[in-house]
Amino acid sequence: MNTDHDLVVIGGGPAGIAAASTAASFGLRVAIIDERVTFGGQIFKRLGDGFDLESPEALGKDYARGARLIQELEQSEISKFNSTTVLTIEDNQIITSHPVDGVRRFSCKALVIAPGAYDRPVVFPGWTLPGVMTAGAVQTLVKTQQISPGKRIFFAGSGPLALAFSAQLIKYGAPVFKVIESAPFPSPTKLLGLLSSIKGNWDLAGDAIRYRATLLSHHVPFHYGRIITKAEGSGRVEAVTHARVDKDWNPIKGTEIVEPADTLCLGYGFFPSHELFRLLDCDFDYDETRGGFTVSKDSWGLTKSSSPLAIYAVGDGTGVTGSYSAEAQGRLAGLHIANHLGSLSTQERDRRSKNFRKELQQRNDFQRAINKMFEVKQGIYRLAEANTVICRCESVRAKEIDPVIDSTCDVSVVKSYSRAGMGLCQARNCQRQIAAMIAIRHKISISEIPFQTPRMPVKPVEIGKIADPSIREEKYFIQ
Amino acid sequence: MKERSPFLVGYLDNETNQSALPKSSDVVIIGGGLLGTSLAYYLSKSKVETVLIERDDINREASGTNAGSFHFQIALHQLTPNMSESEKRRLADEVRLQVDAASLWDEIERELDADLGVHFDGGIMVAETEDEMRVLKEKDAIEKEAGLESHILVGDEMRTFAPYLAPDLAGISFCPREGHANPLLVGPTYAYRAWQNGAHFRTGCDVTRIERINVGGDLKGRRFRVVTSRGVIECNRVVNATGAWAAELSSQLGLRIPLGLSGLHVNVTEPREYFLKSMVQHIGRRLTLKQTHNNTFIIGGGWPSREEKFPKRYSNTWSSTAGNLAVALRVLPMLADVKLLRTWSGVWAFTKDFKPILGESEKVPGYHIAMVPTGFTLGPMVAQMLSQYMTATPGKGKLPSEFNIDREVA
């Protein structure tokens, strides 16, 4: 099946929905694609099938905001494709796979990519034990299925995520017994820095205070300046070890505390999902506070790439700045596309964009100040021991990667010699850890270490779903 | 389940990417693929002073991106229906060369004291139609005559022998000698052993110019100055082992080496319980299919990928992915629910007659080329032949005349 549109949006979170709805409101033919069964992205994930919601207000204003966005999408003329995974983008074709309908190709004049972000993996002894989970995974279980993964949950993380997620989990009834944050208690200077960008962000500041209050009222201790160093247990997590850190987040010997726990929830921030941008050969910048490598784009979200399509990049997949910023980015891209395709005058585009631009600026300033306050330090990459598995898909240990790193700075070389990064997760879990190991060994910055060569498919897919007997090769190499 | 892939026995040290280039050497090998590294090994074993320079890292191009198959059977691209007697004789000669290569692969793990994933579990060639079956039988006859064991199986015999194949295939041939090795390990292991023997390696070292010096002078004097991004080295003999880039470099010395280039597409899947011992090929379609000892399936066979200029990698296309996988499913329907993990591609360089270019130029004495179209299968053997030539008393070494490097110079 082949479908032709003015605009195709990949990703149905706040950024993607905002871009699609905005463009569609000017009469453009728009399709939105998402690999999940429902729209809303990770942040506005709704209850699973079979659950009824008696009082939506109990779920807070985020739920209501998500519901509004999703409603905007549902009431539009936009063609919606759920459970649809993008495999590759080639020339002007977006090639996707659906579990029942198989391969579907989309073509369009403009493309918005809003792929979102994923939990930052943290590698330490025991990180692959069952019971060690990322905050996103625990959140999904708790939010959509109302299931708590354990009876005694230890939460280790950093940044607004550590506070927000742990408080949310507690509110949903998950038994979190302690939270540790790697960054130090914010200094007065940093708090002042935060205050200078608080305009337009009082809501977020209020959230933070409420989250802290939730923890206090449930008597859940929250410790600054500590990092997870180990998870132990036979067959699953039974105990966790954490330690105080120095300013680079290196654990300080002698400060370790071991505590019994059956679940370890990790929330150390997010990495942007930039696989599609890499496949399209887009330019990249580096910004540690927004998740490392981020795709380069102009103020409307337009990227530079080798593709013949106009490609816009919006949302946390282009640098982690949160859902308000993501939505504003989506609106701006939608306006620019409507103008670009002749459905909106430039004057009108600029007039309508003013408020979104202001919102974006304020949200990004605040987020940047927060991210700076909780910036991830190099110590997070030094937690692994010689026997720690680095690539969990292929079971490659640190001691097997170390000797390769001596003679190369290229993650693709490490991959080909050690198999690290060859498995099912397509290196999402280990590639930054390996890049950091190289950076530490060769005393260079992690920003100088490029990704491994991008290859399609962007997500694993069953052979039977994509094999196409109608494609015939030339009979021989040389006719 | 079989055991997982072993790691390399050792790695080149820091000197490789950090130290300055030596000022001079007897031999400079340009290119760190399988040809270059295995030649460095055989030369250093004979105590020949050798420096290998590579612009990227060891084993990054065709040597590490091919699917690791041994092509002892006659390759698909060599076969045409209704072959003449002379064509058949030419093919038989080639099969004899492959049989020699097979004996080197028999010994290689012992020679290098390393597990390189070498398997001789046989190769199956399937025929879907009666026409293809006829070509399969002709191929079988040529191979038998050249001394390569081969069996034809049809009907229930085929289904009992290979129950995993689609039951309605017209027939198969089975060559017990065929096999595969891990292409990610072979070149780097040769490099490591050569380095232990005293050969020097420099990676990230790009050759910008080759100059002839002392032309007509004493044979013992340095005859070449190789200018690189990391300095200058003078040497007595140069070996161009740059594979797909052999022509580019040779043109600097006025030599024309007509090479064809093609990008080859490869797919790899998630692992599944080990069951497919033998490599599977198709006589009429582009397919090589094998299960590695990491239990993944590698599916290739010569589908094209898009040409890109170095250092960009050839890019994979959707049509090669979907088409190649469809051929694989036609032959092995049980792979339908196995997940495709990744595709990659490599460059394939070939000569008009598909024979290696191997030896020393008569026009530019001291300048050698080592280039093989079926480089993975034949590379180490050809390198060994060249090493023997280069270590023989000057004027005494011999290489097959049909590999002559000046033969294609217009």
Side-chain angles (χ1 to χ4, degrees), chain A residues 90 394 406 456 461 473 476, chain B residues 4 14 286 318 340 343:
Chain A
E90 195 172 298
E394 295 290 323
D406 274 341
M456 65 117 150
V461 60
E473 69 275 49
Y476 300 117
Chain B
R4 50 163 291 123
N14 261 330
R286 294 183 181 190
W318 177 256
L340 170 70
T343 58

Side-chain angles (χ1 to χ4, degrees), chain A residues 308-360:
Chain A
L309 288 168
I311 293 173
Y312 294 78
V314 293
D316 277 356
T318 73
V320 180
T321 46
S323 68
Y324 288 94
S325 162
E327 187 182 336
Q329 291 173 46
R331 302 272 174 217
L332 288 169
L335 290 172
H336 195 261
I337 292 161
N339 169 255
H340 179 65
L341 297 181
S343 301
L344 178 68
S345 73
T346 304
Q347 198 187 4
E348 193 57 15
R349 177 197 73 184
D350 291 344
R351 191 185 67 77
R352 287 174 190 248
S353 66
K354 269 190 194 124
N355 282 339
F356 299 128
R357 231 174 247 300
K358 192 172 149 208
E359 160 100 17
L360 184 63

